[in-house]
């Protein structure tokens, strides 16, 4: 067994007993080869480090939710045309794509903590440029800077949290990324209608300032330190696990898997397309592709338009959406390490499919003049249910899985590819959504429902369960799948 593992490039340790792995099932269930340390407990340093990291996610949520409530105030005060405001609303996505392309390499070169610091050096001036803008030029510069920052955040925050969290808590801690994104979004939507757009921009800068200070007091990712050959990685790990914690077994696993993948690494982007990484790329890119093609960006950015088309109150509708996103994210946080990633993804994609059918049916009935009294409420309930189902799984879990399945030797290139896929598809949907609504409101939602139906099959056939496994176990097992199954 030990010889077989070495031939396939998998780590073995003479200090750890090795069990014979069972044959893989059709769902690619990940199995453990090594006996690992006992489950770790929550420590103050772990909580504080995660909180500081997800402040970046809160900034991202504020940025996503900002453009809708600020639209009327900005257009009236600065005299912007609809086309000028459309540029302001969409230019963040362009910045996000640029940030996504560079995110992995930057995080690999300077570390996770410094990458978050760099992101804030974009976001903080961006919010201030918007808050004190006198014309469309400064608005666009500020929004572009925020896009560059959040493009870095969408990769580095889930990666950092996954790399510092123990296996038994990793799901909940990485879910905090999505919960804080939802909190930022809910804050912008809920108070954006009652305060000025300049004040709302200043509020968006508050978590940026908090993170800028806090980053100087949290440890660097021990797995990144190990990848760089730094001897202080074990001190960083012990700081996260507690002074009296035994981190020797976890440290051995980190070193072994890191050295194994680096020995077989060419350090090239083309390395991603080696046979042993094909499965990881399919899962990572596929989840991001289907996440965005399920219509989320269109629903969030144009929720006011949807409610208006459905003859439903836009103020009440958007406020309710913000609250339901926050509640659903908290539910996902509590369930992640209980039911696992696959189960929540299956429930989420099934729910989004069904609720999109409800929204599509409401517009279909409206087009034909049937049940005019209840179709607005059908559209509201369907959209509310869609976003709740999306927030439980498909919103945040693809980022969790992305942070788990790629080894450190290719995480930079793979993470950039996955993040770029997400931002590119987000731009595509946000750009075409209004045109699709003009073409056919009912057809738009039935199309997205069809994508969600395909997503169910994709998750069932390909997405692995990573709950309760160390990152090293996950990556070692996935490296075997192309040899066994593809």
């Amino acid at each position: 067994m030990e010889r077989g593992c070495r031939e396939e490039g998998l780590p073995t340790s003479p200090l750890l007993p090795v069990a014979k792995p069972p044959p893989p099932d059709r769902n690619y269930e990940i199995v453990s080869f090594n006996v690992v340390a006992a489950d770790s407990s929550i420590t103050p340093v772990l909580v504080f480090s995660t909180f500081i990291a997800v402040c970046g996610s809160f900034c991202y949520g504020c940025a996503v939710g900002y453009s809708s409530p600020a639209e009327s105030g900005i257009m009236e005060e600065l005299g912007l045309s609809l086309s000028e405001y459309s540029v302001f609303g969409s230019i963040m996505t362009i910045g996000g794509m640029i940030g996504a392309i560079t995110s992995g390499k930057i995080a690999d070169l300077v570390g996770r903590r410094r990458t978050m610091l760099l992101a804030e050096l974009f976001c903080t001036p961006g919010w201030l440029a918007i808050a004190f803008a006198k014309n469309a030029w400064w608005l666009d510069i500020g929004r572009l800077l925020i896009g560059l920052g959040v493009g870095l955040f969408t990769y580095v925050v889930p990666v950092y949290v996954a790399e510092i969290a123990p296996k038994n808590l990793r799901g909940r801690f990485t879910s905090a990324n999505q919960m804080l994104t939802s909190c930022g979004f809910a804050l912008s939507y809920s108070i954006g209608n009652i305060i000025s757009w300049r004040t709302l921009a200043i509020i968006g800068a508050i978590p940026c300032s908090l993170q800028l200070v806090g980053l100087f007091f949290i440890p660097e990712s021990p797995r990144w330190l190990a990848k760089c050959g730094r001897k202080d990685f074990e001190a960083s790990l012990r700081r996260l696990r507690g002074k009296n914690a035994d981190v020797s077994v976890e440290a051995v696993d980190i070193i072994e898997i890191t050295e194994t993948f680096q020995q077989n690494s060419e350090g090239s982007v083309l390395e991603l397309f080696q046979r042993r990484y094909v499965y990881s790329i399919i899962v990572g890119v596929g989840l991001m592709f289907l996440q965005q093609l399920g219509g989320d960006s269109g629903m969030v950015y144009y929720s006011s338009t949807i409610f208006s088309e459905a003859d439903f109150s836009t103020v009440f509708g958007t406020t309710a959406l913000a609250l339901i996103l926050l509640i659903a994210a908290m539910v996902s946080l509590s369930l992640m390490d209980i039911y696992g990633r696959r189960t929540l993804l299956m429930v989420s994609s099934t729910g989004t499919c069904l609720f999109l059918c409800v929204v599509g049916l409401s517009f279909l009935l409206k087009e034909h003049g049937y049940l005019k009294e209840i179709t607005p409420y059908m559209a509201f309930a369907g959209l509310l249910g869609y976003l709740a189902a999306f927030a439980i799984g498909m919103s945040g879990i693809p980022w969790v899985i992305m942070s788990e399945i790629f080894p450190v030797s290719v995480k930079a290139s793979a993470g950039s590819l996955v993040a770029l896929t997400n931002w590119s598809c987000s731009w595509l949907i946000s750009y075409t959504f209004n045109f699709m609504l003009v073409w056919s409101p009912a057809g738009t939602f039935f199309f997205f429902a069809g994508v969600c139906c395909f997503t169910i099959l994709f998750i069932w056939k390909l997405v692995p369960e990573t709950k309760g496994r160390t990152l090293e176990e996950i990556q070692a097992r996935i490296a075997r799948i192309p040899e066994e199954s593809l």
Side-chain angles (χ1 to χ4, degrees):
M1 174 63 199
E2 184 173 300
R3 177 185 174 188
C5 286
R6 286 200 179 102
E7 288 174 350
E8 294 180 314
L10 295 177
T12 60
S13 172
L15 303 176
L16 303 175
V18 180
K20 183 178 180 180
D25 64 15
R26 64 176 181 175
N27 290 329
Y28 308 126
E29 188 72 21
I30 292 173
V31 297
S32 173
F33 298 99
N34 294 340
V35 176
V36 297
D39 290 346
S40 300
S41 59
I42 297 176
T43 64
V45 175
L46 178 63
V47 173
F48 180 72
S49 300
T50 302
F51 171 74
I52 292 299
V54 297
C55 281
S57 305
F58 188 89
C59 172
Y60 175 43
C62 290
V64 171
Y66 181 82
S67 58
S68 181
E71 180 176 1
S72 59
I74 291 178
M75 292 181 69
E76 290 174 8
E77 184 174 338
L78 300 183
L80 269 63
S81 65
L82 182 61
S83 60
E84 287 175 321
Y85 192 81
S86 296
V87 172
F88 169 74
S90 61
I91 200 170
M92 187 182 82
T93 310
I94 304 298
M97 285 191 281
I98 298 172
I101 293 172
T102 60
S103 59
K105 288 298 182 183
I106 293 175
D108 236 19
L109 182 64
V110 303
R112 304 351 182 180
R113 193 174 58 175
R114 290 192 184 96
T115 303
M116 289 187 278
L117 180 62
L118 177 63
E120 289 297 9
L121 295 179
F122 286 121
C123 288
T124 305
W127 281 117
L128 295 178
I130 293 174
F132 297 102
K134 299 297 183 182
N135 51 48
W137 176 251
W138 283 105
L139 283 175
D140 293 343
I141 290 177
R143 190 76 168 167
L144 180 64
L145 288 174
I146 292 173
L148 290 169
V150 299
L152 296 173
F153 277 138
T154 51
Y155 168 77
V156 72
V157 170
V159 167
Y160 175 78
V161 176
E163 289 181 347
I164 67 171
K167 64 176 185 178
N168 57 306
L169 300 170
R170 193 175 61 247
R172 296 178 199 175
F173 275 78
T174 49
S175 292
N177 172 45
Q178 178 57 33
M179 189 182 77
L180 266 292
T181 301
S182 298
C183 286
F185 179 84
L187 180 68
S188 291
Y189 256 49
S190 58
I191 69 173
N193 293 320
I194 59 177
I195 64 174
S196 73
W197 59 275
R198 295 185 187 275
T199 304
L200 188 60
I202 292 174
I203 291 175
I206 293 175
C208 300
S209 302
L210 181 62
Q211 187 179 46
L212 274 172
V213 176
L215 284 171
F216 292 98
F217 299 95
I218 65 175
E220 180 55 90
S221 162
R223 287 174 169 85
W224 180 78
L225 293 173
K227 176 182 179 296
C228 296
R230 297 266 295 270
K231 299 299 183 181
D232 56 342
F233 89 93
E234 194 166 346
S236 174
L237 186 63
R238 183 172 290 105
R239 185 178 169 192
L240 289 162
R241 300 291 180 263
K243 292 182 179 179
N244 299 322
D246 181 6
V247 299
S248 57
V249 175
E250 187 176 2
V252 167
D253 283 346
I254 291 174
I255 286 294
E256 284 185 342
I257 196 71
T258 300
E259 289 178 349
T260 298
F261 279 107
Q262 283 187 321
Q263 286 170 3
N264 297 292
S265 174
E266 300 172 1
S268 168
V269 174
L270 296 178
E271 184 184 358
L272 284 177
F273 303 99
Q274 290 182 4
R275 184 177 180 84
R276 59 176 172 165
Y277 298 129
V278 168
Y279 174 67
S280 299
I281 292 295
I282 291 173
V283 172
V285 172
L287 280 176
M288 293 301 179
F289 184 78
L290 294 171
Q291 180 200 59
Q292 291 299 329
L293 261 66
D296 172 66
S297 293
M299 311 295 174
V300 170
Y301 291 145
Y302 300 106
S303 57
S304 297
T305 303
I306 297 171
F307 286 129
S308 179
E309 289 285 333
D311 299 325
F312 193 83
S313 169
T314 56
V315 174
F316 179 80
T318 53
T319 303
L321 290 185
L323 294 176
I324 200 67
L325 276 173
L326 180 58
I327 294 171
M330 293 175 67
V331 171
S332 177
L333 178 70
S334 63
L335 298 180
M336 179 80 72
D337 283 323
I338 298 176
Y339 295 104
R341 285 64 154 158
R342 272 175 54 88
T343 301
L344 290 183
L345 283 174
M346 291 287 288
V347 170
S348 177
S349 54
T350 302
T352 54
C353 179
L354 294 176
F355 284 115
L356 282 172
C357 288
V358 172
V359 180
L361 180 60
S362 71
F363 279 102
L364 185 64
L365 292 172
K366 182 186 176 185
E367 289 174 10
H368 291 83
Y370 298 132
L371 304 175
K372 293 182 179 180
E373 297 81 7
I374 67 170
T375 51
Y377 299 100
M378 286 180 62
F380 170 70
L383 195 57
L384 206 67
Y386 164 81
L387 288 177
F390 185 83
I392 287 176
M394 283 301 295
S395 178
I397 294 180
W399 292 104
V400 174
I401 292 178
M402 179 276 294
S403 68
E404 294 175 327
I405 61 176
F406 295 112
V408 290
S409 57
V410 296
K411 187 168 284 187
S413 301
S416 294
L417 176 63
V418 168
L420 178 61
T421 301
N422 183 276
W423 280 99
S424 301
C425 292
S426 175
W427 174 83
L428 176 65
I429 296 302
S430 61
Y431 180 77
T432 60
F433 191 82
N434 268 336
F435 297 106
M436 294 179 70
L437 283 180
V438 172
W439 162 67
S440 171
T444 298
F445 293 103
F446 284 132
F447 168 78
F448 289 132
V451 174
C452 293
C453 183
F454 178 78
T455 303
I456 299 171
L457 298 176
F458 180 85
I459 294 167
W460 177 58
K461 296 294 291 183
L462 288 175
V463 177
E465 180 56 75
T466 58
K467 176 176 73 77
R469 308 292 181 189
T470 66
L471 296 182
E472 289 68 40
E473 289 175 319
I474 294 168
Q475 292 153 14
R477 179 65 181 94
I478 285 180
R480 294 174 58 90
I481 289 176
E483 300 295 330
E484 298 169 342
S485 306
L486 290 182

